Structure formats: structure tokens, C-alpha cells
Amino acid sequence: MRHLLLITALLFSFSLTAKEHPCLLLTPKGVKEIKTSLGKLPYFDQSYQTIKDEADKAMGVKMDIPTPVDGGGGYTHEQHKRNYISMFNAGAVYQVSGDAKYAKYVRDMLMEYAKVYSTWGEHPAKKNNPSGKIFWQTLNDFVWLVHVSHAYDCAYNGISAADRKEIEDKLFRPMVEFIMYGNDGANERTFNMIQNHGTWATAAVGMIGYVMDDKDLTDKALLGTKKDGQAGFLRQVDEMFSPDGYYAEGPYYLRYAIWPFTLFAQVIDNNQPEQKIFQRRDGILLKAVDAEMQMMYNGEVLYLNDALKKTILTQELVWAVDIAYAANQKNTNLLNIAGRQERVMICDAGITTAKALKNHKMQPFESVSHLFRDGANGDQGAVSILRYGKEPKQTALVMKATTHGGSHGHYDKLSFSFYDNGNTILQDYGAVRFLNIEPKYGGHYTKENNSWGKQSISHNTLTVDETSHFNAVTKTADQFWSEQLLYDVTPDVQVTAAKDMNAYPNVQMQRTMALVTHASAEQPFVIDIFRAKSEQAHTYDFPFYYMGHMVSVDFEYTPFTTEQRALGNSNGYQHLWLEAQGTTTKPTACFTLVNADRFYSITTLANDKSEFMFTRLGAGDPNFMLRHDAGFMLRQKEASNHTFVTVVEPHGDYNLNNEYTLGYASNIDQLKLEVDNDTYSAVTVKMKNGNTYLLLVCNNNTDKNAAHSLDVNGKKYDWTGAYKLIVTTPQIP
Amino acid sequence: MRHLLLITALLFSFSLTAKEHPCLLLTPKGVKEIKTSLGKLPYFDQSYQTIKDEADKAMGVKMDIPTPVDGGGGYTHEQHKRNYISMFNAGAVYQVSGDAKYAKYVRDMLMEYAKVYSTWGEHPAKKNNPSGKIFWQTLNDFVWLVHVSHAYDCAYNGISAADRKEIEDKLFRPMVEFIMYGNDGANERTFNMIQNHGTWATAAVGMIGYVMDDKDLTDKALLGTKKDGQAGFLRQVDEMFSPDGYYAEGPYYLRYAIWPFTLFAQVIDNNQPEQKIFQRRDGILLKAVDAEMQMMYNGEVLYLNDALKKTILTQELVWAVDIAYAANQKNTNLLNIAGRQERVMICDAGITTAKALKNHKMQPFESVSHLFRDGANGDQGAVSILRYGKEPKQTALVMKATTHGGSHGHYDKLSFSFYDNGNTILQDYGAVRFLNIEPKYGGHYTKENNSWGKQSISHNTLTVDETSHFNAVTKTADQFWSEQLLYDVTPDVQVTAAKDMNAYPNVQMQRTMALVTHASAEQPFVIDIFRAKSEQAHTYDFPFYYMGHMVSVDFEYTPFTTEQRALGNSNGYQHLWLEAQGTTTKPTACFTLVNADRFYSITTLANDKSEFMFTRLGAGDPNFMLRHDAGFMLRQKEASNHTFVTVVEPHGDYNLNNEYTLGYASNIDQLKLEVDNDTYSAVTVKMKNGNTYLLLVCNNNTDKNAAHSLDVNGKKYDWTGAYKLIVTTPQIP
């Protein structure tokens, strides 16, 4: 019903007057604003100068529209990329400068493309994905058309009607025909997919549709080739994000997906404002931009699932920030990002952002504690982020209990990572890939991404019997998700809890993590309760991949100093060198490291079945694809029902400028699991200064209003809600 | 004769009027300036607030002057450190605020020290060095008195004459007596040493001497206990630096040494301006400060000899920069450093610097190519630095061919390191030490500093037969130095050359390094010609310790993927894991890596006796003292006379923000050693674009005016001077 109304609105909404140009990302109003602001807004001026320089440079060399031959990274591939970027830049410069030579450049190149496009057949370097005409896969053709639509729109008024007809007839119309219906129907399936590639396809067709004022094309872009709303951009908006703006593949791919979403949304808003696209689904697109910004640590995207180093400085996030800010100018927090990006896009949203930046007092970006639910309805697990303090020194704990995320998903149920003082302390490795570096497996995901990056053992979570979650089978993993049980943020403590019943057929896992921020603590610290339940005995591996240098441990170990071996031969274990191993007779084991000017201790419960391993990544890596990162791992042998209790604790001050060191040793005097059953867990952390933190957790009822009562060491505690932190500080006598 | 004149001038220079206070680092004039500037100079205000906060915090806790018991890092050690810092801060705050409570705090604490000082005997934690009274070694006592002299000077007018007499009689006079004559003459030897400890001792005695207006003490401080100028601060100034301001232990220790030098020089200048201490020896102290600033890469001290991470932000360099700038205000380049330090010292020099900063337009610090000769006369080798471009993206090549540097020296003759694009690319490991981290071998230099850090194999230079230079015997190494042969900087190429005849009894080494900055090169690149001469066959190991990730090599290798062994069992080899090894049938081998957004290739000549090894640090390290850094090593077997020729070449652009990659492969088409004998070497580097760089070097005559003629491949080249670079670019047809 909702769809039907929208369709009706859509079909009657087109204006009958002649289309003004530009009309996509730049409009006559925006161009006017840019012209009057030029020379007054440093970021805008600089950004404009950059694209102008690039356009001038491109126009200084001989035009080259090669017959498509090469795959990604090869010559013809890169040349067609250069071509669309050059036209894209030249188009914008034409609008701002009014200099006809830039329009002519776009026109000339498009006329050349128009001459040859129809002569190109299936791409010879076609791989698994459907073949494009210009590139080896259709995705790149979509991206080409998104950029070129903008270029054509900008140059439109500088190209004669006859030339435009030639270009549209010989290039754009055959191209949209191919994009929507080519490859024997495969392209239509892609176009109508509720997926990333579909978004690029609909954006491409929609954008050239608006430029050519072709309602049939824009309707198909918005509603699918059948125009019934079962496919198309609007449905993608409705289904591809969780209600919190989360994207199942994780923030690394959200960053990429958000590009066509924000671009095309802006285009729709300029051409069909009545769509209220930015308000759609409670403003989901703007939420997604915010979600992306929040799923970072100090401007770097969190390494969840397949992820490489990406920051707020990437071009797609410059687009996203400019457009999202322009769409909701109350969101001044985005200006803090825009200021750090130090560039804007040459479009209406870019000039709006640049103007706002001029009078904006830069603040650190406010990244806050947030629960990002997964699934279109928000009921398929979540990523929880607990934060304390402000960037760049903020403390952040990230726990992942989501859906799998398809081919980019990792087998990392209930894994976590920890950041503090501006640094990654306990890492998620991310993906094993050297994007765009041809000698590193063609720049693709490496084999080691499967054999290490995705495996459970590469994450800070539980691996059972040296086997990954779901046996590392995507098809299985995609059918399940973890259940987010609890998420609560208070001034003294922030708590998240989730469980997973499916990753291992015979082992149930539940993890409760608390970031204790109570004023009595030297620094915020983490209490981690990980419950594994099983009826059989297993080997439980529980690693911590740390960044920094080992300082000390409180147990004996045997180092392997002249010869070392890989820890295993499959499921990721073949990539770990075993550097040392030890045991303890104490009830806890403590591992301390230093990173920058702070110390960190991992204190964990131990018994006579606990073994401690020092691992180093890099075994089984003939092509040197892996970083040689270090790990501290607790191996619990012959375990069935076992609860791991760990405190991760920043402490001390390692001051190299004034040469002093404070607090290099853990503050913890005692860590105890006082109660542990299916209903309750109770953990005591006693510090050396006498402060005691008792965390009471209800394991099977997260009702905020439920009343609980528990006896701990002969003392009775009553509370309401799923958990309670009780802090006791010694009385000064 | 020079000394005699100075002594005469000194003996008659004291004024007869009553001494004004403060007179050391603050003066009444400076205090007045500070008071009128307060609230107007952000860096000064902030710096003052910091010490005021620290003073207030210290004054809020119970005074504690414990009987000395503990060694470095222990409680009484740290408490006496805290005490002098608290007095130091309180003294300055008294002068600026005029609040009597700060003077009283200094007075009270000094009265407490006066009560107990004479009761303290030899320090129970005494180690190898002479025992202090307050600390385990006298050095710390000197540092204590330097700080406390300043505190006392500042508080002087706020303490009654009777109390002052008590403090001077019971504390300061016994202390200077001990510093000059204690420990059965050992302290007098230290005091009169031309060495770092002597500088702290003379500064301490001199400073308290000026405060107490005691000419005998200040004369002894300046001229030695015999007042004959054979010892004392002035002679230290005359002999402890090379004419270029170099300090034999290297820039890491220069940073520390410069602290008492600049402090005490400032004190002398305030009290005996006729000494013209800052002009002495052609302004050597200011040169030393400049030298320190120049021996950095992006504000981080070069890792020559024993060295840890130290930056311009250390307190000692804040002192040095403030004082050096105030002493020569034409040196505005220092203001670029001061601005980056973001703090100043609360003294006359600090307010001068802060005022200058207010109107200073910050520029990147200009670090320039520079030769730093070693030895008091500048004739004992050198460190040469070749730089191109500006910080922070500057390219820098550092070659070390100096004296050994005593107990902090490394066996690293003719070693080099390379920096580019803001990053360390080929590193010098520096020292293996976790300063002030007690669990890491008490914070001392670790055993691994001897077994790895100092060894030849840990450096980018030649190791013969798996044995370090001078067999790693300091006593031997200290007798010799390398000879700097050539240093020349031109717009197109910068060249340095040195030889070493002593590191190995039977192998002579000569290295010529050229940084080619000719406009035709994509990026500046390094040509390295390392000639080893011997009459016997040896195994030559020639490593490159790189930072970054391996991208590709152009030869076959065998990786050790399931098991790996240490490369050797002594001289540093026991610390290297052998990860892979290979050979080549080509005339060169190329190793490419990526670091940040740039690629780097190491292309080196090869033959059938060349073996290539991939090493990883971390073997033989039971206590986890080492970083796990990577190396690429050329092992040349059965070699006697052998010339290593290598090009280190930055190239390409790895752009993650806009997702494109350019030039991931080396530009080098051919590398050839065309001529190589005792008189001449000629190397051709031919790039894939046809550019050819022919480097002609005369190996045995560095006369700038000598005429040379050489036949290379049938073509005759005539030139003047020790080298010639001939660049040929292909004609455009």
C-alpha cells in the first residue's frame, strides 16, 4: 500500500517545462553561490583548484579511448577510469569558470565514445561477474556512467543540440539499455537487486535519466525495471540498512555503499523534492552516514569483517559528509568531520558545507556510545560500541554480534576490539588484502584472507577445538545471527551482552562486557565474562591480539628461541608461530604490555587446565601477505562448561618527554568469579588500593524492571534490571 | 695562553655589590617581563599553569624526605626526584606570583634536608658508579643540586637570613664539598672530567656558587678544582663537541648533554656576561643545539648508537631551544621548533621565546643537508646527512662514519639509514632498552642491547664472516674512527663517501652514497657503492632493515612456513629468524616494499655467489625485548674483493583515499657496475623510461680540483673533482 501511493505520486510529479541544467549535483543556484564565494572559502578554493589542475592536466595529453582489453589495474581499465574522472572534473570546472574549452573537452570525449561504444562486445577480461562493455565487470560501467552523467549534465548547455542527440543516441541510450537489459537478462537481475551493485546501476540510469529528462528511465531507477517498487533505489533504501543505519557487510563496505546512495539521493532531491528522499524511513540515509561516522575510531573505519585501512579522508566519505550536512544543517557534528577532511566536493552540497565551515568552531568529532542493530528490522544482532572520553584519546570497546555479512563476513561471533588513548590496543585484523597492488595477488582478497582473516582464531573471541564458527562455511553462517541481549550506558558503567547458539553446534556462547567508567577507577577498564556451555569436553582457545610491546607476565613460560613451529595446520592456526607457552599455579594470569605512553594489563582467570601461549602471526605465509602481529592466548583444555573472566585495564603513565614512569604494574589485586550459573554471574575485581568492583549479571533475563536477589559470599544483593555494578572504596580511617 | 687570559679575566670580574636574586635562569628583569606578559602569551601561560598546578599538587601532600635506600626507580629515589622538581616549580611560581607560600615551601623542604643531609652516608644501593648521598650514583645528586639551586635562588628573598645560613651551612656547603671532594677523591676526578657527568657536577657547583655569591665555587666550576683551566666547564665546552657541534656518543646523548651545558651557560651569561660564553669557540654551544635539531627526522632524534625514541618535545630540548633562541634571536628557525614544542620554560629565555613566538609565522623547521664532523678537531670521521625537500615529507639519507662513541657506541661503521615521505624506510634499530620500565631489565640497557643492538649485523652495513666490527670490543673500537672522504651537495646530486680500515683487520671498506635529486628522476633515489677489499675469501652479509610490507621480489625463494630457525648463534645472528632464502640467475635482484602511500625498491647487483635472505628479528629473545622487524639481506659467499652496488628508490603513489595505485614496480631497467678498481668506480642506472644516470667516482683522490678521465664502455669521460653524475634523458623524436 505504501509502495502504491509512492508510485502514484511519482508518476504524476514531473514538470512539463524544459529541464534546466545542471540538475544533478550542481544546480544553477549552487553555481551562482559558488561563483560569488570563490576566493573566500579556503577549503572550497583549494578543492576547486585541485580538480581544475587535474582537468587541465588531463586536457594537456592526447585523448585516448582504447578498445577495452584489460582487467582491473590494466591499461585500458585505468584509462577509462581516467577518462570519466577527467570529464567529471572538466564538467564541474566548466560550470564554475564558464570557460567553453572544458565543455568542449567533455563533448569531444563523449563524441569519441559515441563513435565506438556500439562496436564493443563482451569484455575479453570478463571474470566471474557479468561482463561490462567498457570494463571487465558491469559494476565499473555503472560507476563510469554515474560520473559521466554528472559531466554531461555540467557540459550540457555547452554542447550543441545536434551533438547531444548524437551522444545520447549512440552512447547513453545503448548504455542504459545494456545496463538494464544486457547480458541476456543478467543485467536486469543486477539492476533489480537489493544490493550494492544494484544501487550503482539504478543511480547510473537514474542520473542520466534526469539529465535527458527521461521519465521512463528515472521511474525504473526508483522503482525497478517493472516500475512496481519491488526493486529499484527506493526499495534499496528501505531494505539495505538496519533501522540504525547499519549495513550487514560492516562499516568498511557501508563506506563504499553510501557513495551511490548519497549521490543519487541528492540527485533525486534536486529533481523530485516531493520524494523527500532524505526523510524517507525516518531519515535512514542520513542515519547511515552518521552510523558510518560513528563506527570509527579517530577517523579510521572499524575493522569489522573484510576491512582495510580507510579514513574519513576517502573521497566517498567527503561526498557523504557534504551531502548529509547539506540535507540536515542542524547536524553540526558533521562539520567537525568536514573540517578534518579539508576538502569539499564541487557541488551544491560542497559549497553549503564550505560556507558553514567558515564560521564553525572546530571541535573533536563527538563519537558516542551506540548500539547498531543489524537486520532490516533491527532484530538480527548488533554491533555495540562503548565509549568514554573524547577523541583523540577516547577509550572504546567494540563488540560484534551480528549477521554474518555474506561473502565479506568473518567467522567472529562475539568478538571484540579495544581502543584507548588514540591507539588500537586489542585489534581486529581486518582483511588480508593489498587493494590495488597488483603483485599482491592482483590486488584482490588474498588466499590468506580466507585462511586467516576470516577464521575465528584471528579474532578476539572463542575458538572451539581449533575449528572456526560454522566450520567457516558462508552459506551456513548466513542463515544465523547472534542475539543482542543487553545494552546500557550509564555514567558509571556501560554494559553490552550477546549470545550465540549457532556458531558451534554443541557449544553455546554468551558474552557480557562492561566498561567500568566509575570515577574511582584510575582509567576506565573492561570486565569481560564469556560463558561457554557444552556437554562435551573441548579445547577452548581464547586469544587477545594486542598492539604494543609485552612488558611482563606473572607466570612462568618456556620460550622457543632457536627454532619455532606453526601452532597448527588449518583453520588459521597454520599462520601462528608459537613463540612461548606457560602455565600458572595462581588463580589468575596477568599479561602486561605498553603502547605509546600507557600500560595495559590483561588479567584472566586461570586453573590447572589453562595454558598460555605467545603467538606471532606470519607462519604459513609463503608470499608475505600477513603482518607479524602478536597475540596472547589462553587455551583452556578439557573444558565443557567454562566461563572466561578477564579484565582489560589501561594503567600508568609512560612519559618519555619528562622521563618518568608511573604505574607499570596492573592495579588488580584479585579477580574472582564469585557466582556463575545459568541465571547469574558475579565477578569481583579488587584493586590494590582497596577499591572493589562487584559486577552482578543476570544471564537469562534482560528485563529492565525485573527484580533480582543474589547471595555473594554470604552477603545478599538486591537490584533491578539485567545487571548491577557495586563499587566499594575503602573508608579513610 | 688562551686559558691564562681567560683566567685573569675571570678572577677580576666579580662585582662587589650585594648579589640580586634571582640570578640564575630567572632575573629581576625577566620576572618583570613575565608579570607584564602574563595572560597574553598562550604557550607561556599554559606552561606556567602546568608548573603551578604541579607545585600546588606537591604542596598538597605531606612533605617526605626519606632516608636514601632505593636504587633507580625505587621509592626513595623517585621521592627525592619529586622533591627537587616540586621545589623547582615552587621557586619559579614564587617569583611569578609573589605568593609567599611557595617560598615557604622551598624553605621548609630545604630546612628538612639540612637537618638530615649530614647523617647520610654511602648510598646502600650503590652500583658501579660512585655513590651519591641522596641517590645511588653521584650523577643524580648533581642533577638534584642543579634544580635545587634554581629553586633556592628563586625563593632566596623569601627566606630569612638565619634560615639561609642554616640551609647553606648544613646542606649546600657539605653537598658541594662532597660533590667536589667526596668518595675519597673519586668525586674530584668526576668533577674534573671532560665528560657528561663532569658537566652536571660543574653546573651544580657553579649554580649554587652564584646563588651564594661564592667566587671560589664558581671559579672551580668554570676552571676545575685546581682553577687552572685544565678542567671545569670551560674546558668541557672547548673539547666535548666537534667544531660542528657533534657529540661522540651521538644525537641521543647530545640531547641529554646539552641540558646542563645550555642551563649553566645561561647562568654564566647572566652572572659573568664578560665570559661571552655563547660566543666561545665560535659559538659552539649554539652550534651544538643546532646540530641536535638537525640530527632529527621530523622532530625525532636519529637512532645513531644507543638511542631510544626522543623528540623535540622532551623537556631538555625545550630548555635548549629557549636558551639558544634567546642567546641568538636571529635564529628564527628555532622558533619553528619552539612552536611545535608548545611549551616554554619559566625563565628569562622562556619569556623571550614566547614573546617572539607570538609574532612568528610558523614554518616547517628547515632541516638541511649537513656534514657533522666528529672529534674535537673535526678530523675523526663524520655523520653525513643528505636531505631533499621539506619536512614533513622530506627525503633523508644518513651515513655514519665516526668514532666509536664509548660505551654507548655501536659497531656500525659506514652504516646508513633512509627516511622518506615522513617515514623511516631503512632503519637503524637504535638501543634495546625500555627506559624506566622496571620489569624490562630494570629499565637498564638490556642484554639484547649488547647481543643485538650494538652488533654490526643489526645495522645497514657490511658484516664479515658473521663477526662484528672490532670483534665487538669497545676498547678496541674506541681507538679508531672511519675517515670521511667526500661530502658535496649540489642541486642535482648529493654525495658522501667514507672508508674504514680498522673495523676488520683483513677487510677494508669504502662506501660512496649519492642521493640523486636531478629533476628527471621520479623521486630522489640513492646510489650506494660499497667496496670491500680483502685478500682472503669471506662471507659478506649486507642487510637492509626495512619498515613497511614486502610487495614483490624478482627472484625465486624458498619460504620456511611451518618451522623456522635462528640464522646463527652469536654476534646478533641468534636474534634473526630466517623466513625465506633465494638466489637469482639475473644480474640484479630487486626487493619492493610499500610504506604508507609510496613504494620503495632496493635493487642490488647479484651473481651466482649471491644469496638473498628474508629475516625477522625476535629469535633468541626469551624476555621479549626485541621488536619483530623485517630485513632483506644479501649474503655474498666466498667473496674477497667485492663491490656491492645498490639503488634505493622511492616510487609510485599508493592512494587509498581516491583508490588508485601508480608505479608499484621499480623504475629501474638496468643497474651496472661498469668500472670498478682502486682508482675509479662507475655505475649506470638505466630507468625504464630511458633516463640514464652514470655515476663516476674516484676512489682514491677527493681533491676538488683534480682532473679525471675515464673510459666507460668505449666512451671517454673527463671531469674535475671526486665524482661526476652524468644524466642522459632520451631525445623526444
Side-chain angles (χ1 to χ4, degrees), chain A residues 310 440 550 557 622 624 656, chain B residues 310 440 549-550 557 622 656:
Chain A
K310 284 286 178 183
K440 301 305 264 187
M550 189 273 248
Y557 62 83
F624 293 84
L656 279 166
Chain B
K310 283 286 180 185
K440 301 303 266 186
H549 202 111
M550 188 273 249
Y557 61 84
L656 279 167

Side-chain angles (χ1 to χ4, degrees), chain A residues 310 315 343 435-436 440 549-550 557 561-564 566 579 620 622 624 628 654 656-659 661, chain B residues 310 343 435-436 440 549-550 557 561-564 566 579 620 622 624 628 654 656-659 661:
Chain A
K310 284 286 178 183
Q315 60 181 344
R343 61 169 169 159
L435 182 67
N436 292 335
K440 301 305 264 187
H549 202 111
M550 189 273 248
Y557 62 83
T561 57
T562 60
E563 193 181 324
Q564 63 184 10
E579 294 195 322
F624 293 84
H628 286 233
Y654 184 44
L656 279 166
N657 291 332
N658 291 347
E659 282 206 8
T661 300
Chain B
K310 283 286 180 185
R343 62 170 170 160
L435 182 68
N436 293 335
K440 301 303 266 186
H549 202 111
M550 188 273 249
Y557 61 84
T561 57
T562 59
E563 191 180 327
Q564 63 183 13
E579 294 195 321
F624 293 82
H628 286 234
Y654 185 43
L656 279 167
N657 291 332
N658 291 347
E659 283 208 8
T661 300

Side-chain angles (χ1 to χ4, degrees), chain B residues 463-482:
Chain B
T463 294
V464 176
D465 297 333
E466 302 194 25
T467 308
S468 284
H469 302 171
F470 304 106
N471 268 310
V473 177
T474 306
K475 215 185 271 183
T476 317
D478 263 339
Q479 299 167 34
F480 301 100
W481 49 85
S482 304

Side-chain angles (χ1 to χ4, degrees), chain B residues 597-703:
Chain B
D597 57 351
R598 201 168 280 175
F599 297 91
Y600 298 87
S601 286
I602 300 167
T603 304
T604 190
L605 288 190
N607 62 27
D608 58 357
K609 295 278 193 293
S610 306
E611 201 164 53
F612 302 98
M613 295 178 165
F614 297 61
T615 63
R616 177 78 51 176
L617 193 54
D621 183 24
N623 300 308
F624 293 82
M625 297 299 188
L626 298 169
R627 298 192 302 264
H628 286 234
D629 297 341
F632 165 63
M633 184 167 98
L634 164 53
R635 168 166 287 183
Q636 196 66 30
K637 292 176 296 188
E638 303 166 42
S640 49
N641 293 332
H642 185 83
T643 299
F644 296 89
V645 179
T646 310
V647 170
V648 179
E649 170 209 10
H651 54 88
D653 182 0
Y654 185 43
N655 190 314
L656 279 167
N657 291 332
N658 291 347
E659 283 208 8
Y660 64 81
T661 300
L662 300 172
Y664 58 73
S666 166
N667 289 315
I668 294 179
D669 180 45
Q670 214 175 56
L671 172 65
K672 274 178 85 175
L673 180 59
E674 312 275 8
V675 175
D676 189 49
N677 56 50
D678 285 356
T679 316
Y680 294 111
S681 295
V683 168
T684 302
V685 182
K686 188 175 171 204
M687 299 297 183
K688 286 171 185 161
N689 65 4
N691 290 354
T692 303
Y693 303 84
L694 171 62
L695 182 64
L696 307 169
V697 177
C698 176
N699 290 320
N700 61 5
N701 181 355
T702 58
D703 185 343

Side-chain angles (χ1 to χ4, degrees), chain A residues 94-110:
Chain A
Y94 171 64
Q95 281 299 328
V96 176
S97 71
D99 189 334
K101 72 178 179 188
Y102 295 100
K104 183 171 182 304
Y105 177 76
V106 175
R107 176 249 169 228
D108 289 352
M109 191 177 280
L110 289 177

